[in-house]
Amino acid sequence: MSELILAAGAVAWRRVRDAASAGTGASGVEILLVHRPKYDDWSLPKGKREPGENIVLTAVREVFEETGVRSALGPRLPSVEYANGAFRKRIDYWSMFSPGEADSGFTASHEVDKVSWLPRARAMQRLTYPRDAAVIAGLRPRVTVPLILLRHASAGQKENWPADDESRPLDAKGDVDALALAGLLPCFAPTARVLSSPALRCTESVRPYAEAFGGTVDAEAALALSGRSGNSSSRTNRSDALTDLVRDLVAVDGPAVLCLHRENLPKALAAACAALGATAPPEPPDPPLPKGGFWVVHMADRELAGLERYVP
């Protein structure tokens, strides 16, 4: 069996005003392509994954290194897989809206000597490899906002914690994953409102991420686990509060990260999808979302633009 090489990149796009649309307020879309002198080809910015690197980080790093563009990732786009001699190569792609100046951060190198922003149709014609056209064809150019629903990182077993379960901290693996999340979550939300269940293991899972951009973690009672006392009224009230909170966050339409528990995360995901007029994935998911894993709900114009799950 041939070895599989993993790589990642993005379709960086921007809105531009042209002469034809100047009087209407409409705008067109341009796509960023790179030229590689070694192959004398035009393609999408991309590159190989470094050992141990999360593929999401690969996409952001490679686009920045090749083009100087550093933006958040939007929804996933079609992947490309092909044979390359004795190897197979798979390239995962995401959309990437670029609100800044064109190529002001670009520096020519031996790998990429030119970049070009082109109207979508011209970009597809310029591409050297037809397989890249299918990736651009999958782009729906909408500016998206992320709502990230995170299951707290590893915190050992509750039966081994002698004190109140709310005070159970992350274990060594959880600490490592929290630091990994601090690098991974900014790929989708460089800054965000950060809300957490009051449980220590939850607040500790997102604190490194929030601190990295100077934010804070707000403990939110609606994200806590329902009481285990058997009081059905208490459980119902907590569930309603969670639904209301998620619905309000969708209405605000700003980036947000919520850290909560395995037991109530599906409820939050269902509430987000319902608020966006979509159906949530089946519960329980297959495979289950691991500790430290998260869903990214991509929102655009009060619609669900994409739904993806990741692990650190």
Side-chain angles (χ1 to χ4, degrees):
M1 180 180 294
S2 57
E3 180 183 351
L4 179 63
I5 298 173
L6 300 179
V11 176
W13 65 279
R14 65 177 185 178
R15 295 199 182 279
V16 292
R17 194 70 61 85
D18 55 33
S21 62
T24 65
S27 60
V29 170
E30 288 185 337
I31 306 296
L32 183 59
L33 301 184
V34 301
H35 179 264
R36 301 184 299 176
K38 179 179 180 180
Y39 304 102
D40 190 23
D41 62 5
W42 285 95
S43 61
L44 296 168
K46 62 187 180 299
K48 295 178 183 177
R49 186 186 73 166
E50 294 182 349
E53 184 179 47
N54 190 291
I55 199 67
V56 171
L57 292 170
T58 304
V60 174
R61 176 181 56 78
E62 286 290 343
V63 172
F64 177 70
E65 290 178 356
E66 293 193 349
T67 70
V69 170
R70 187 190 296 277
S71 293
L73 297 177
R76 288 196 70 148
L77 296 174
S79 298
V80 169
E81 188 167 334
Y82 60 93
N84 182 18
F87 304 95
R88 290 185 303 118
K89 191 171 186 178
R90 190 183 78 207
I91 309 171
D92 293 329
Y93 286 101
W94 284 259
S95 65
M96 179 183 282
F97 173 64
S98 177
E101 291 297 320
D103 50 6
S104 57
F106 170 70
T107 301
S109 69
H110 68 282
E111 292 186 354
V112 174
D113 61 345
K114 291 182 288 186
V115 298
S116 182
W117 286 95
L118 295 171
R120 184 169 180 161
R122 286 181 56 196
M124 295 181 74
Q125 293 172 352
R126 176 74 65 86
L127 289 169
T128 301
Y129 309 106
R131 59 178 176 261
D132 290 343
V135 182
I136 295 179
L139 173 70
R140 187 174 179 186
R142 298 192 294 176
V143 178
T144 58
V145 176
L147 173 63
I148 298 175
L149 305 177
L150 166 70
R151 181 183 177 188
H152 68 75
S154 178
Q157 301 299 320
K158 61 183 177 182
E159 56 267 23
N160 296 330
W161 181 250
D164 181 78
D165 192 51
E166 290 277 285
S167 66
R168 179 157 51 99
L170 297 180
D171 58 20
K173 181 181 184 304
D175 287 336
V176 171
D177 283 348
L179 292 176
L181 288 165
L184 192 56
L185 295 178
C187 294
F188 302 99
T191 63
R193 184 181 178 190
V194 184
L195 303 175
S196 171
S197 162
L200 182 60
R201 58 192 180 276
C202 290
T203 59
E204 288 185 339
S205 295
V206 286
R207 183 168 289 115
Y209 163 68
E211 290 178 345
F213 65 84
T216 58
V217 178
D218 295 329
E220 174 57 60
L223 300 177
L225 289 176
S226 299
R228 303 178 186 275
S229 63
N231 186 323
S232 60
S233 176
S234 173
R235 291 196 300 271
T236 300
N237 291 340
R238 184 65 55 81
S239 179
D240 290 344
L242 175 58
T243 298
D244 292 342
L245 173 64
V246 172
R247 186 186 299 118
D248 290 344
L249 290 171
V250 169
V252 170
D253 198 31
V257 174
L258 277 62
C259 186
L260 58 176
H261 305 264
R262 172 184 58 82
E263 294 89 340
N264 59 359
L265 194 151
K267 180 73 174 179
L269 181 59
C273 291
L276 296 167
T279 302
E283 174 60 27
D286 184 22
L289 187 69
K291 293 178 180 178
F294 59 94
W295 289 94
V296 180
V297 181
H298 297 281
M299 307 180 290
D301 303 321
R302 299 298 300 274
E303 292 182 354
L304 181 65
L307 180 62
E308 303 144 10
R309 49 180 281 164
Y310 298 93
V311 295

